[in-house]
Amino acid sequence: MSKRVGILGTGAVGLTLAQGLQELGYDVSVGSRSGKAVEGWNGAVGTFKTVVNTAELVILAVKGAAAAEVVKGIAGELAGKTVLDTTNPIDPNTAPQDGVLAYFTGPNESLMEMLQAAAPDAHFVKCFNSVGAALMVKPQLKGGRPTMFLAGNHAGAKTEATELLDRLEWDAADMGPATAARAIEPLCMLYCIPGLTHNEWSHAFKLLQA
């Protein structure tokens, strides 16, 4: 039987993954600060805390600027659970320059490392941050299955992420521990340049090996 998945966030990423996983047979709940009904979602809802309490696997899909506050508020409930971190440290107060997003992190830090520090007993895995919501579920691209880059300190959590990605028709590439998120998070910047400059969003990354 598929795991109980808790999605934290009601934006495009959260709802896209919620609907896609629900269609695959997962028992999905969507969490928000208020716990109110979510437009476009016909499944279970709750507050961040109640959704995490009943979930076996958590997907963090809130805005990057709000992620640390959300995680700090539910750090105890996240303990021992796999948390797929879709967030990016996009600076909401700075406009993109020539299509390049501004981040509030530096080159030697990552948002996921901040979140791991805020909830040290949770098992964070960087995931789903380098592609738009429209391609997250069973992407159909000319080059075949795209690659999702992962990072995290817990091997079992990365195995869970890989299994879920496979069901969503992605190949996973494990880049190592949480420090690798420093390299993975900027992929969102690269992904967004064609979209922000030419409104081209139908692409994804693929790792080719000899």
Side-chain angles (χ1 to χ4, degrees), residues 14-47:
L15 291 183
T16 296
L17 290 173
Q19 291 162 353
L21 293 173
Q22 186 183 65
E23 290 173 2
L24 288 171
Y26 288 86
D27 181 1
V28 182
S29 297
V30 172
S32 64
R33 292 182 188 275
S34 66
K36 293 182 180 179
V38 179
E39 184 177 354
W41 171 244
N42 62 358
V45 297
T47 64

mmCIF file of all heavy atoms in Angstrom, residues 14-47:
data_model
loop_
_atom_site.group_PDB
_atom_site.id
_atom_site.type_symbol
_atom_site.label_atom_id
_atom_site.label_comp_id
_atom_site.label_asym_id
_atom_site.label_seq_id
_atom_site.Cartn_x
_atom_site.Cartn_y
_atom_site.Cartn_z
ATOM 1 N N GLY A 14 2.744 22.392 -4.759
ATOM 2 C CA GLY A 14 2.077 21.515 -3.810
ATOM 3 C C GLY A 14 0.877 20.813 -4.395
ATOM 4 O O GLY A 14 0.712 19.595 -4.238
ATOM 5 N N LEU A 15 0.030 21.555 -5.094
ATOM 6 C CA LEU A 15 -1.184 20.955 -5.646
ATOM 7 C C LEU A 15 -0.877 20.022 -6.803
ATOM 8 O O LEU A 15 -1.535 18.985 -6.972
ATOM 9 C CB LEU A 15 -2.165 22.041 -6.082
ATOM 10 C CG LEU A 15 -2.802 22.839 -4.938
ATOM 11 C CD1 LEU A 15 -3.811 23.837 -5.480
ATOM 12 C CD2 LEU A 15 -3.473 21.920 -3.925
ATOM 13 N N THR A 16 0.120 20.358 -7.627
ATOM 14 C CA THR A 16 0.501 19.467 -8.730
ATOM 15 C C THR A 16 0.975 18.124 -8.193
ATOM 16 O O THR A 16 0.557 17.061 -8.677
ATOM 17 C CB THR A 16 1.600 20.108 -9.581
ATOM 18 O OG1 THR A 16 1.095 21.288 -10.204
ATOM 19 C CG2 THR A 16 2.085 19.144 -10.658
ATOM 20 N N LEU A 17 1.840 18.154 -7.202
ATOM 21 C CA LEU A 17 2.333 16.900 -6.623
ATOM 22 C C LEU A 17 1.228 16.168 -5.874
ATOM 23 O O LEU A 17 1.141 14.935 -5.932
ATOM 24 C CB LEU A 17 3.514 17.191 -5.696
ATOM 25 C CG LEU A 17 4.798 17.637 -6.399
ATOM 26 C CD1 LEU A 17 5.849 18.070 -5.382
ATOM 27 C CD2 LEU A 17 5.347 16.512 -7.281
ATOM 28 N N ALA A 18 0.370 16.902 -5.188
ATOM 29 C CA ALA A 18 -0.734 16.260 -4.462
ATOM 30 C C ALA A 18 -1.637 15.505 -5.428
ATOM 31 O O ALA A 18 -1.998 14.337 -5.196
ATOM 32 C CB ALA A 18 -1.536 17.309 -3.696
ATOM 33 N N GLN A 19 -2.023 16.141 -6.512
ATOM 34 C CA GLN A 19 -2.912 15.503 -7.475
ATOM 35 C C GLN A 19 -2.233 14.340 -8.182
ATOM 36 O O GLN A 19 -2.830 13.272 -8.374
ATOM 37 C CB GLN A 19 -3.399 16.550 -8.482
ATOM 38 C CG GLN A 19 -4.357 17.569 -7.861
ATOM 39 C CD GLN A 19 -4.524 18.830 -8.681
ATOM 40 O OE1 GLN A 19 -3.830 19.047 -9.676
ATOM 41 N NE2 GLN A 19 -5.448 19.685 -8.265
ATOM 42 N N GLY A 20 -0.955 14.524 -8.551
ATOM 43 C CA GLY A 20 -0.239 13.449 -9.226
ATOM 44 C C GLY A 20 -0.058 12.230 -8.351
ATOM 45 O O GLY A 20 -0.243 11.089 -8.794
ATOM 46 N N LEU A 21 0.280 12.439 -7.094
ATOM 47 C CA LEU A 21 0.471 11.311 -6.175
ATOM 48 C C LEU A 21 -0.854 10.661 -5.808
ATOM 49 O O LEU A 21 -0.928 9.432 -5.652
ATOM 50 C CB LEU A 21 1.208 11.775 -4.930
ATOM 51 C CG LEU A 21 2.659 12.210 -5.166
ATOM 52 C CD1 LEU A 21 3.250 12.820 -3.906
ATOM 53 C CD2 LEU A 21 3.512 11.044 -5.639
ATOM 54 N N GLN A 22 -1.895 11.449 -5.691
ATOM 55 C CA GLN A 22 -3.214 10.892 -5.421
ATOM 56 C C GLN A 22 -3.646 9.955 -6.557
ATOM 57 O O GLN A 22 -4.175 8.864 -6.323
ATOM 58 C CB GLN A 22 -4.237 12.003 -5.239
ATOM 59 C CG GLN A 22 -5.629 11.520 -4.807
ATOM 60 C CD GLN A 22 -6.620 12.665 -4.725
ATOM 61 O OE1 GLN A 22 -6.943 13.278 -5.744
ATOM 62 N NE2 GLN A 22 -7.099 12.961 -3.525
ATOM 63 N N GLU A 23 -3.384 10.375 -7.783
ATOM 64 C CA GLU A 23 -3.733 9.540 -8.939
ATOM 65 C C GLU A 23 -2.940 8.239 -8.965
ATOM 66 O O GLU A 23 -3.403 7.234 -9.511
ATOM 67 C CB GLU A 23 -3.499 10.324 -10.230
ATOM 68 C CG GLU A 23 -4.487 11.459 -10.439
ATOM 69 C CD GLU A 23 -4.134 12.332 -11.630
ATOM 70 O OE1 GLU A 23 -3.138 12.026 -12.324
ATOM 71 O OE2 GLU A 23 -4.851 13.331 -11.860
ATOM 72 N N LEU A 24 -1.761 8.245 -8.350
ATOM 73 C CA LEU A 24 -0.941 7.035 -8.284
ATOM 74 C C LEU A 24 -1.306 6.144 -7.099
ATOM 75 O O LEU A 24 -0.693 5.103 -6.893
ATOM 76 C CB LEU A 24 0.536 7.417 -8.192
ATOM 77 C CG LEU A 24 1.166 7.976 -9.475
ATOM 78 C CD1 LEU A 24 2.564 8.508 -9.183
ATOM 79 C CD2 LEU A 24 1.210 6.911 -10.562
ATOM 80 N N GLY A 25 -2.293 6.565 -6.313
ATOM 81 C CA GLY A 25 -2.754 5.738 -5.211
ATOM 82 C C GLY A 25 -2.248 6.115 -3.847
ATOM 83 O O GLY A 25 -2.554 5.421 -2.862
ATOM 84 N N TYR A 26 -1.475 7.190 -3.756
ATOM 85 C CA TYR A 26 -1.022 7.641 -2.446
ATOM 86 C C TYR A 26 -2.175 8.290 -1.680
ATOM 87 O O TYR A 26 -3.079 8.890 -2.269
ATOM 88 C CB TYR A 26 0.102 8.666 -2.596
ATOM 89 C CG TYR A 26 1.420 8.094 -3.045
ATOM 90 C CD1 TYR A 26 1.692 7.916 -4.403
ATOM 91 C CD2 TYR A 26 2.399 7.744 -2.128
ATOM 92 C CE1 TYR A 26 2.905 7.396 -4.837
ATOM 93 C CE2 TYR A 26 3.617 7.224 -2.540
ATOM 94 C CZ TYR A 26 3.866 7.052 -3.892
ATOM 95 O OH TYR A 26 5.066 6.530 -4.316
ATOM 96 N N ASP A 27 -2.144 8.163 -0.370
ATOM 97 C CA ASP A 27 -3.110 8.811 0.513
ATOM 98 C C ASP A 27 -2.539 10.183 0.854
ATOM 99 O O ASP A 27 -1.631 10.306 1.666
ATOM 100 C CB ASP A 27 -3.293 7.968 1.772
ATOM 101 C CG ASP A 27 -4.301 8.555 2.733
ATOM 102 O OD1 ASP A 27 -4.888 9.611 2.433
ATOM 103 O OD2 ASP A 27 -4.493 7.967 3.813
ATOM 104 N N VAL A 28 -3.053 11.220 0.203
ATOM 105 C CA VAL A 28 -2.433 12.547 0.258
ATOM 106 C C VAL A 28 -3.292 13.527 1.042
ATOM 107 O O VAL A 28 -4.510 13.607 0.848
ATOM 108 C CB VAL A 28 -2.205 13.101 -1.167
ATOM 109 C CG1 VAL A 28 -1.518 14.466 -1.104
ATOM 110 C CG2 VAL A 28 -1.383 12.126 -2.000
ATOM 111 N N SER A 29 -2.635 14.290 1.911
ATOM 112 C CA SER A 29 -3.270 15.403 2.608
ATOM 113 C C SER A 29 -2.480 16.667 2.299
ATOM 114 O O SER A 29 -1.254 16.627 2.156
ATOM 115 C CB SER A 29 -3.280 15.181 4.124
ATOM 116 O OG SER A 29 -4.038 14.034 4.466
ATOM 117 N N VAL A 30 -3.185 17.796 2.204
ATOM 118 C CA VAL A 30 -2.549 19.078 1.904
ATOM 119 C C VAL A 30 -2.664 19.986 3.118
ATOM 120 O O VAL A 30 -3.762 20.181 3.661
ATOM 121 C CB VAL A 30 -3.195 19.748 0.677
ATOM 122 C CG1 VAL A 30 -2.673 21.163 0.481
ATOM 123 C CG2 VAL A 30 -2.937 18.912 -0.575
ATOM 124 N N GLY A 31 -1.542 20.539 3.546
ATOM 125 C CA GLY A 31 -1.513 21.374 4.730
ATOM 126 C C GLY A 31 -1.283 22.838 4.423
ATOM 127 O O GLY A 31 -0.589 23.196 3.469
ATOM 128 N N SER A 32 -1.864 23.687 5.250
ATOM 129 C CA SER A 32 -1.678 25.130 5.171
ATOM 130 C C SER A 32 -1.652 25.688 6.590
ATOM 131 O O SER A 32 -1.893 24.954 7.556
ATOM 132 C CB SER A 32 -2.808 25.778 4.368
ATOM 133 O OG SER A 32 -4.052 25.592 5.026
ATOM 134 N N ARG A 33 -1.391 26.970 6.721
ATOM 135 C CA ARG A 33 -1.370 27.565 8.058
ATOM 136 C C ARG A 33 -2.737 27.452 8.731
ATOM 137 O O ARG A 33 -2.846 27.156 9.915
ATOM 138 C CB ARG A 33 -0.959 29.037 7.972
ATOM 139 C CG ARG A 33 0.480 29.250 7.558
ATOM 140 C CD ARG A 33 0.819 30.725 7.555
ATOM 141 N NE ARG A 33 2.132 30.989 6.988
ATOM 142 C CZ ARG A 33 3.265 30.931 7.665
ATOM 143 N NH1 ARG A 33 3.249 30.604 8.945
ATOM 144 N NH2 ARG A 33 4.404 31.195 7.077
ATOM 145 N N SER A 34 -3.792 27.702 7.945
ATOM 146 C CA SER A 34 -5.140 27.730 8.507
ATOM 147 C C SER A 34 -5.813 26.368 8.531
ATOM 148 O O SER A 34 -6.708 26.122 9.346
ATOM 149 C CB SER A 34 -6.008 28.704 7.717
ATOM 150 O OG SER A 34 -6.197 28.228 6.389
ATOM 151 N N GLY A 35 -5.433 25.484 7.611
ATOM 152 C CA GLY A 35 -6.083 24.179 7.516
ATOM 153 C C GLY A 35 -7.408 24.207 6.784
ATOM 154 O O GLY A 35 -8.143 23.212 6.782
ATOM 155 N N LYS A 36 -7.720 25.333 6.134
ATOM 156 C CA LYS A 36 -9.003 25.463 5.440
ATOM 157 C C LYS A 36 -8.994 24.706 4.118
ATOM 158 O O LYS A 36 -7.957 24.273 3.637
ATOM 159 C CB LYS A 36 -9.316 26.944 5.188
ATOM 160 C CG LYS A 36 -9.575 27.746 6.456
ATOM 161 C CD LYS A 36 -9.914 29.193 6.121
ATOM 162 C CE LYS A 36 -10.177 29.998 7.395
ATOM 163 N NZ LYS A 36 -10.498 31.423 7.079
ATOM 164 N N ALA A 37 -10.185 24.547 3.540
ATOM 165 C CA ALA A 37 -10.330 23.898 2.241
ATOM 166 C C ALA A 37 -9.473 24.619 1.206
ATOM 167 O O ALA A 37 -9.289 25.836 1.265
ATOM 168 C CB ALA A 37 -11.794 23.896 1.812
ATOM 169 N N VAL A 38 -8.952 23.857 0.240
ATOM 170 C CA VAL A 38 -8.059 24.399 -0.775
ATOM 171 C C VAL A 38 -8.733 24.313 -2.136
ATOM 172 O O VAL A 38 -9.149 23.228 -2.571
ATOM 173 C CB VAL A 38 -6.727 23.617 -0.803
ATOM 174 C CG1 VAL A 38 -5.809 24.164 -1.893
ATOM 175 C CG2 VAL A 38 -6.050 23.673 0.553
ATOM 176 N N GLU A 39 -8.843 25.434 -2.795
ATOM 177 C CA GLU A 39 -9.475 25.462 -4.120
ATOM 178 C C GLU A 39 -8.690 24.584 -5.094
ATOM 179 O O GLU A 39 -7.465 24.657 -5.183
ATOM 180 C CB GLU A 39 -9.518 26.896 -4.642
ATOM 181 C CG GLU A 39 -10.252 27.038 -5.971
ATOM 182 C CD GLU A 39 -10.349 28.471 -6.435
ATOM 183 O OE1 GLU A 39 -9.942 29.378 -5.675
ATOM 184 O OE2 GLU A 39 -10.838 28.691 -7.559
ATOM 185 N N GLY A 40 -9.400 23.721 -5.808
ATOM 186 C CA GLY A 40 -8.765 22.830 -6.773
ATOM 187 C C GLY A 40 -8.291 21.513 -6.192
ATOM 188 O O GLY A 40 -7.722 20.688 -6.915
ATOM 189 N N TRP A 41 -8.525 21.279 -4.902
ATOM 190 C CA TRP A 41 -8.089 20.034 -4.262
ATOM 191 C C TRP A 41 -9.278 19.363 -3.592
ATOM 192 O O TRP A 41 -9.973 19.970 -2.774
ATOM 193 C CB TRP A 41 -7.010 20.328 -3.232
ATOM 194 C CG TRP A 41 -6.627 19.157 -2.358
ATOM 195 C CD1 TRP A 41 -6.782 19.042 -1.017
ATOM 196 C CD2 TRP A 41 -6.021 17.931 -2.783
ATOM 197 N NE1 TRP A 41 -6.312 17.834 -0.565
ATOM 198 C CE2 TRP A 41 -5.837 17.124 -1.642
ATOM 199 C CE3 TRP A 41 -5.612 17.440 -4.028
ATOM 200 C CZ2 TRP A 41 -5.269 15.864 -1.693
ATOM 201 C CZ3 TRP A 41 -5.052 16.173 -4.090
ATOM 202 C CH2 TRP A 41 -4.877 15.402 -2.938
ATOM 203 N N ASN A 42 -9.518 18.086 -3.946
ATOM 204 C CA ASN A 42 -10.680 17.379 -3.418
ATOM 205 C C ASN A 42 -10.314 16.328 -2.367
ATOM 206 O O ASN A 42 -11.124 15.461 -2.042
ATOM 207 C CB ASN A 42 -11.458 16.711 -4.557
ATOM 208 C CG ASN A 42 -10.632 15.661 -5.289
ATOM 209 O OD1 ASN A 42 -9.462 15.447 -4.969
ATOM 210 N ND2 ASN A 42 -11.225 15.012 -6.273
ATOM 211 N N GLY A 43 -9.093 16.425 -1.832
ATOM 212 C CA GLY A 43 -8.661 15.475 -0.817
ATOM 213 C C GLY A 43 -8.640 16.081 0.564
ATOM 214 O O GLY A 43 -9.183 17.154 0.813
ATOM 215 N N ALA A 44 -8.000 15.380 1.479
ATOM 216 C CA ALA A 44 -7.932 15.811 2.870
ATOM 217 C C ALA A 44 -7.065 17.059 3.023
ATOM 218 O O ALA A 44 -6.093 17.250 2.283
ATOM 219 C CB ALA A 44 -7.370 14.683 3.732
ATOM 220 N N VAL A 45 -7.426 17.899 3.980
ATOM 221 C CA VAL A 45 -6.666 19.106 4.287
ATOM 222 C C VAL A 45 -6.474 19.202 5.798
ATOM 223 O O VAL A 45 -7.136 18.503 6.571
ATOM 224 C CB VAL A 45 -7.377 20.379 3.775
ATOM 225 C CG1 VAL A 45 -7.492 20.371 2.258
ATOM 226 C CG2 VAL A 45 -8.756 20.533 4.415
ATOM 227 N N GLY A 46 -5.574 20.073 6.202
ATOM 228 C CA GLY A 46 -5.347 20.304 7.621
ATOM 229 C C GLY A 46 -4.300 21.374 7.805
ATOM 230 O O GLY A 46 -3.783 21.933 6.837
ATOM 231 N N THR A 47 -3.981 21.673 9.044
ATOM 232 C CA THR A 47 -2.888 22.593 9.314
ATOM 233 C C THR A 47 -1.569 21.882 9.041
ATOM 234 O O THR A 47 -1.517 20.652 8.893
ATOM 235 C CB THR A 47 -2.911 23.059 10.768
ATOM 236 O OG1 THR A 47 -2.687 21.924 11.620
ATOM 237 C CG2 THR A 47 -4.243 23.725 11.119
#
